[in-house]
């Protein structure tokens, strides 16, 4: 590979940390773009288990491409790796990077089952890898701002939560791909415990065979009595106006906060009828790189690691069980 | 039977119940359609309300007893605007008197009552139509037309969420909701919030969502799972409900209804119909026609009439009903649809109560619910109204 070629878009590359992106789905490409512009990182190369896709992205971005992704994982000159890609690719790459003791920023979700996640945690621990797995909804401006507004006085009694994340992408199981980060975000923002989940799953749009469901409807009951309605969908029709969109609504008795992540905006409807719109903030991928920086530079344990996500897996698995059995499933206290 | 229903002459109408929906929607629509409709009488147990409505909208007669209105031979049709627990007995009485019936939604308090209404009107040879006004609201009609044209392909998923401000009813002058049959004309708690008379959000407004979802999906519901919640410590029935619905054609439906939002919050509808080839979506706060922007920012009028285009919908609904009678043809909305929407709403209530998926073919819950027991105490087991009450406006 041509790892020594400097990043032409980064004037401070001489003092920055060397970085590679492995797994070039849409998220991987977005990270590569953010890495190219980040003053503290130097994007050395990109790679993908499917070389033709990786080459196309590399060509589009004008960055070096490594045909064999394992060469990138073995490259001792690299300070850190960003692992993205489709779920199956991502888990494989992540395991390979973890066993090599690399500093990794893994896009969420890192695994589809608790068993698989625990395997990754063990591999990373034994390999001495530092794997950060931050939840993007904690830094995407709209959702981050919405969560902060929940902390502010004035929302009153929380009456209902509605969240829908939909995409045109033909990804893996949306319960994991979309649901794991979203549920982790919601529960974190609400600071409340889910005690029951009811799930309805169906293949409504996908034309790629029977496969896994493309649509999930979840009803979550929290210990506080609050009920959240969550909708997850992949493989939406091509006419869907955006590639992906997330809408989160926190409905309080005094204020309603609506986060529209597609537009990177938050709208707050106050009790007096006034409406306030908040402008968008910094790019989420840039913010995730900022958070990854200390783990790479100072060999620190990441703030959000694989272990951080471990708690949400029982919720995912309870939803699976609910859909399979056609009945709500209770969750025991953590 | 009334002494004449003539084509070319005006349909003579009596309105039963002079509450919010009558005064705010049906009576103004009758007035606007005065070229083809004549308001003859208004009945309400609150004498003053009946009198005021009659005077305001030009009716010559006001009654506190429905039977006096139904006994008039110069009334061809009645518009029933009372709470749902009175719909069946009043519809049955109207049918027996030979009056055509336009009845407010929800159709009844139970599916058995709804079936009795269908049967009674069919046997009496009178038209029955249920006021699912959203079927006549332009925005929803445009959505259905897009589906019918094939713009979005086969419908696979429908979401219809509704949120209402807490003051939507109570802030309106003369709101009749504090009335209850056993309260002697006054009650500290609205009947809508009492378990004896109401199922809460599932029937108050989610029956609209159920009807719309059925309409857009174009198939019958197979099963429903619902969660509900009482967020108001003073209420006895849920003011929140959320449900996931499976349909016979494999499509899914979903709805979430919240009725205690801040007073200044606009009535909100998130309507999304996903087809195999596209989608139709309407989100009120984002609709330009509903947003008011001035140099200080954007506001949304807390005016549910404007939002749902109530005048247009109620006028269109009433005109369709009147035209059907004049032409001796079918009403524009088959009451069976209202019956099915009611069955779906009640199945959602049962699901939320029992914490399980409820199949629509399970049939209705045992009628021995608290509300049914109370209603039997009010009306008598034969469905009559021994005290002459039960014309209270909704």
């Amino acid at each position: 590979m041509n790892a020594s070629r400097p990043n032409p878009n980064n004037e401070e590359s001489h003092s920055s940390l060397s970085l590679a992106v492995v797994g070039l789905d849409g998220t991987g490409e977005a990270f590569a773009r953010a890495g190219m512009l980040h003053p503290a990182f130097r994007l050395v190369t990109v790679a993908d288990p499917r070389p033709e896709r990786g080459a196309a992205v590399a060509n589009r971005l004008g960055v070096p491409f490594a045909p064999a992704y394992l060469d990138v994982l073995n490259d001792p000159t690299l300070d850190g790796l960003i692992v993205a890609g489709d779920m199956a690719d991502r888990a494989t790459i992540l395991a390979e990077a973890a066993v090599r003791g690399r500093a990794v920023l893994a896009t969420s979700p890192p695994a589809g089952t608790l068993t698989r996640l625990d395997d990754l945690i063990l591999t990373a621990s034994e390999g001495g890898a530092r794997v950060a797995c931050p939840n993007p909804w904690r830094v995407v401006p709209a959702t981050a701002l919405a969560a902060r507004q929940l902390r502010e006085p004035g929302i009153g009694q929380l009456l209902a939560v509605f969240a829908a994340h939909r995409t045109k992408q033909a990804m893996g199981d949306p319960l994991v791909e979309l649901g794991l980060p979203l549920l982790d975000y919601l529960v974190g923002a609400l600071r409340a415990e889910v005690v029951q989940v009811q799930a309805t799953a169906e293949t409504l749009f996908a034309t790629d065979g029977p496969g896994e469901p493309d649509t999930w409807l979840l009803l979550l009951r929290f210990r506080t009595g609050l009920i959240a309605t969550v909708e997850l969908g992949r493989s939406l029709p091509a006419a869907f106006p955006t590639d992906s969109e997330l809408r989160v609504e926190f409905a309080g008795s005094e204020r309603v906060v609506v986060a529209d992540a597609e537009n990177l905006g938050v709208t707050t409807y106050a009790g007096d009828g006034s409406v306030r719109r908040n402008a968008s903030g910094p790019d989420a991928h840039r913010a995730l790189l900022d958070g990854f920086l200390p783990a790479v530079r100072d060999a620190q344990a990441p703030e959000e690691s694989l272990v951080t996500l471990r708690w949400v897996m029982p919720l995912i698995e309870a939803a699976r069980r609910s859909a399979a059995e056609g009945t709500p499933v209770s969750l025991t206290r953590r | 039977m009334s002494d004449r229903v003539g084509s070319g002459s005006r349909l003579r109408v009596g309105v039963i119940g002079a509450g919010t929906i009558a005064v705010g929607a049906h009576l103004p629509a009758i007035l606007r359609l005065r070229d083809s409709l004549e308001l003859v009488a208004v009945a309400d147990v609150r004498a003053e309300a009946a009198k005021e409505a009659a005077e305001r909208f030009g009716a010559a007669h006001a009654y506190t007893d429905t039977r006096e209105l139904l006994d008039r031979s110069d009334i061809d049709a009645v518009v029933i605007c009372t709470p749902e627990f009175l719909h069946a007995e009043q519809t049955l009485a109207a049918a027996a008197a030979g009056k055509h019936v336009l009845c407010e939604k929800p159709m009844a308090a139970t599916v058995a009552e709804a079936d009795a209404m269908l049967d009674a009107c069919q046997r009496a040879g009178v038209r029955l139509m249920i006021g699912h006004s959203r079927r006549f609201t332009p925005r929803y009609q445009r959505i259905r037309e897009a589906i019918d044209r094939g713009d979005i392909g086969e419908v696979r998923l429908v979401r219809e969420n509704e949120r209402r401000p807490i003051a939507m009813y109570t802030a309106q002058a003369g709101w009749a909701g504090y009335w209850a049959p056993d309260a002697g004309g006054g009650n500290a708690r609205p009947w809508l919030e009492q378990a004896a008379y109401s199922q809460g959000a599932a029937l108050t407004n989610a029956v609209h969502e159920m009807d719309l979802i059925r309409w857009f999906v174009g198939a019958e519901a197979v099963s429903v799972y619902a969660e509900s919640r009482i967020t108001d410590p003073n209420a006895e029935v849920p003011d929140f409900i959320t449900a996931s619905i499976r349909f016979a054609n494999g499509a899914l439906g979903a709805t979430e209804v919240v009725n205690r939002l801040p007073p200044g919050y606009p009535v909100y509808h998130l309507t999304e119909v996903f087809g195999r080839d596209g989608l139709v979506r309407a989100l009120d706060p984002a609709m330009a026609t509903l947003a008011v922007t001035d140099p200080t920012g954007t506001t949304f009028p807390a005016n549910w009439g404007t939002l749902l285009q109530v005048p247009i919908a109620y006028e269109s609904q009433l005109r369709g009903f009147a035209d059907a009678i004049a032409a001796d043809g079918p009403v524009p909305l088959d009451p069976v649809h209202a019956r099915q929407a009611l069955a779906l709403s009640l199945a959602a209530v049962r699901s939320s109560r029992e914490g399980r998926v409820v199949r629509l073919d399970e049939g209705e819950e045992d009628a021995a619910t608290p509300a049914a027991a109370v209603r039997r105490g009010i009306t008598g087991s034969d469905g009559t109204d021994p005290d002459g009450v039960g014309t209270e406006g909704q």
Side-chain angles (χ1 to χ4, degrees), chain A residues 69-118:
Chain A
Y69 79 94
L70 284 174
D71 289 349
V72 177
L73 302 186
N74 289 324
D75 185 348
T77 67
L78 289 171
D79 298 303
L81 302 168
I82 295 170
V83 174
D86 304 333
M87 170 64 91
D89 292 347
R90 192 186 321 151
T92 303
I93 300 166
L94 191 53
E96 298 275 12
V99 81
R100 288 166 172 78
R102 306 307 305 248
V104 179
L105 170 58
T107 57
S108 185
T113 65
L114 183 58
T115 303
R116 185 74 171 134
L117 180 62
D118 281 345

Side-chain angles (χ1 to χ4, degrees), chain A residues 157-160 162 166 196 198 201-202 204 221 225 229 231 237 239 245 249 252-254 269 271 273 275 326 328, chain B residues 156-157 159 163 225 227-229 231 240 242 246 250 260 262 264-265 268 272 275-277 281 285 298 300 355 357:
Chain A
Q157 177 193 5
L158 201 54
L159 305 173
F162 171 70
R166 294 131 169 181
Q196 180 185 285
Q198 196 279 338
E202 193 58 72
L204 297 179
R221 182 177 281 275
T229 303
E231 186 183 321
E245 69 174 28
E249 303 177 354
S253 61
E254 303 297 330
Y269 302 87
V275 179
Chain B
R156 303 299 290 150
L157 173 66
R159 173 166 290 286
R163 291 179 172 174
Y225 180 83
E227 292 270 3
S228 64
R229 186 181 177 209
T231 71
F240 166 93
T242 180
R246 284 188 178 277
R260 269 190 77 227
Y265 194 78
Y268 157 115
E272 297 175 313
R276 285 198 186 278
D277 304 324
R281 175 147 60 179
T298 301
F300 301 94
V357 174

